[in-house]
Amino acid sequence: MKVDGKPMRTIWVEPDGRSVGIIDQTALPHRLTTARLTTLDEAAHAIRAMLIRGAPLIGATAAYGVCLAVRQDSSDDSLDRAYAVLIATRPTAINLKWALDEMMAALRNRPRAERSTAAYRRAAEICEQDVAINTAIGRNGLPLIEAIAARKKSGERVNVLTHCNAGWLATVDVGTATAPIYLAYDSGIPLHVFADETRPRNQGASLTAWELGKHGVPHTVIADNAGGHLMQHGLVDLVIVGTDRVAANGDVCNKIGTYLKALAACDNNVPFYVALPSPTIDFTVVDGVAGIPIEQRGADEVASMTGRTADGRIETVRIVPEGSAVANYGFDVTPARLVTGLITERGVIAAAPAALAGAFPDRAGKAE
Ligand code: MRU
């Protein structure tokens, strides 16, 4: 996507051909700054500390983490260590494991002398594949927005609600949930997005709002608890969210709070769509609610807030009394029955076992 007129991705190989550049998302929306990853441990830190985040981008960064490891040491032990270090960074987004498995498949049976070149080649392919998938998700999701626009009075806007950030910042480029939104906006459909702030890390307020603003998409940031009220009053036409893992039964894991939005959408007959790139499907988990591991992060993320002061300083302040217990669940699982449809690169499909296996027999077969 373009930032202030310049095309930009979230991850790239630097001109030295080895180190990896990323947007440091912890500085957004206040500052657009980049970081350079030169070692496996730096890549692992970037994922763990959420300099990068979002399921597809976690996968892409892990792929380059393997490249950085192999460049320093191309032995089997080094490959094993890279896998072990990276897989332990974050537990929920299955794209991490998918990308690491892809890298291992490309490298394991190769002579050591070829591994570094092959690793960078495969990581670049994973990135290009992500962009192609997201572009197709955009094409397949656009008719959903067009159909709503066609039912509106002339000039009346289509209101989309989204949760967390499943935009281009969560991917290599384009985004998943935002792909149909950007296409609809670019094609001239009057569109407006409600962006849930998404406590505790505020990816909606900080990242979704930033990237929508940079593209010119009209949007309003709302407190996480406002969605139900808006839906009740007819102010939301459809919900589109991303996902970190979809189980074989169609259950959808996404940022904490997504489930409550799906319940509110169901109660108010608002269509609830999930943008799903195929690397995010986990056919080995048969029941998402029971089987998807939910990340729990540090208490600080809930107990404090970070923002910019009036004089431009970035400060973190505590908002919870000292001594109160704090829990920080990162994700929740929305049961398939609450999902209107999955917008995939192969079309919009039901959140149901047969539909998933039918659309992605190549992936389903590998999990058996
Ligand atoms: O904790 P995060 O910021 O990595 O969580 C991100 C999300 O939950 C996104 O909605 C999800 O990864 C889909 S990204 C296309």
Side-chain angles (χ1 to χ4, degrees):
M1 302 292 289
K2 285 190 181 148
V3 179
D4 301 332
K6 281 200 218 130
M8 193 161 196
R9 284 186 171 186
T10 54
I11 189 163
W12 58 91
V13 176
E14 295 284 2
D16 66 11
R18 295 187 297 269
S19 48
V20 177
I22 55 167
I23 296 177
D24 177 357
Q25 299 188 22
T26 60
L28 288 172
H30 309 298
R31 218 157 31 96
L32 175 61
T33 176
T34 62
R36 183 183 282 244
L37 311 176
T38 58
T39 63
L40 165 66
D41 290 339
E42 286 174 5
H45 170 77
I47 299 172
R48 207 180 305 111
M50 294 178 65
L51 277 70
I52 66 88
R53 25 65 54 204
L57 183 55
I58 291 170
T61 308
Y64 277 116
V66 173
C67 298
L68 294 169
V70 168
R71 190 177 65 80
Q72 285 185 324
D73 174 355
S74 60
S75 67
D76 285 355
D77 282 355
S78 166
L79 277 185
D80 290 344
R81 176 165 182 273
Y83 195 102
V85 166
L86 290 162
I87 199 75
T89 49
R90 294 194 71 191
T92 300
I94 194 62
N95 306 58
L96 173 61
K97 180 172 186 303
W98 174 84
L100 289 173
D101 288 344
E102 291 290 313
M103 293 300 287
M104 294 303 139
L107 302 180
R108 274 258 182 259
N109 297 323
R110 242 174 231 287
R112 280 184 62 172
E114 293 175 12
R115 281 183 176 169
S116 184
T117 307
Y120 280 92
R121 191 168 53 234
R122 187 70 193 108
E125 285 167 1
I126 285 171
C127 290
E128 293 311 319
Q129 187 182 352
D130 176 62
V131 178
I133 286 174
N134 299 340
T135 304
I137 286 174
R139 271 199 307 273
N140 294 332
L142 176 63
L144 301 172
I145 298 176
E146 285 174 332
I148 294 169
R151 294 198 296 269
K152 298 251 177 193
K153 290 194 209 95
S154 162
E156 210 186 338
R157 65 192 193 176
V158 175
N159 284 295
V160 185
L161 183 142
T162 192
H163 190 70
C164 193
N165 174 261
W168 71 269
L169 289 169
T171 64
V172 175
D173 204 353
V174 180
T176 62
T178 53
I181 292 172
Y182 286 129
L183 270 191
Y185 174 77
D186 290 347
S187 72
I189 292 175
L191 190 85
H192 169 263
V193 178
F194 285 111
D196 288 348
E197 63 174 344
T198 319
R199 277 284 287 154
R201 289 187 66 99
N202 297 320
Q203 290 95 326
S206 301
L207 305 178
T208 304
W210 181 82
E211 62 162 90
L212 290 174
K214 288 289 172 198
H215 198 79
V217 180
H219 61 280
T220 303
V221 177
I222 52 171
D224 283 326
N225 300 325
H229 169 75
L230 296 179
M231 291 183 212
Q232 221 168 31
H233 289 270
L235 297 172
V236 178
D237 294 301
L238 83 164
V239 179
I240 311 179
V241 297
T243 172
D244 291 82
R245 198 186 296 213
V246 167
N249 69 346
D251 288 352
V252 169
C253 182
N254 191 46
K255 181 53 56 190
I256 192 80
T258 303
Y259 174 38
L260 289 176
K261 294 300 135 62
L263 285 171
C266 179
D267 195 42
N268 292 284
N269 292 318
V270 173
F272 183 92
Y273 285 97
V274 177
L276 168 66
S278 58
T280 309
I281 306 169
D282 185 353
F283 281 105
T284 69
V285 173
V286 288
D287 177 326
V289 175
I292 296 177
I294 301 296
E295 177 176 23
Q296 290 193 54
R297 295 183 60 86
D300 280 359
E301 292 181 354
V302 173
S304 64
M305 295 267 277
T306 299
R308 191 174 60 194
T309 61
D311 60 358
R313 284 170 297 118
I314 305 298
E315 288 219 340
T316 300
V317 294
R318 189 174 173 92
I319 57 169
V320 172
E322 298 289 348
S324 290
V326 171
N328 186 5
Y329 294 92
F331 299 90
D332 59 27
V333 178
T334 298
R337 69 189 148 77
L338 298 176
V339 177
T340 310
L342 303 170
I343 310 170
T344 78
E345 71 263 32
R346 295 189 185 162
V348 180
I349 63 170
L356 276 163
F360 297 98
D362 38 337
R363 297 289 317 286
K366 272 193 200 163
E368 277 161 8

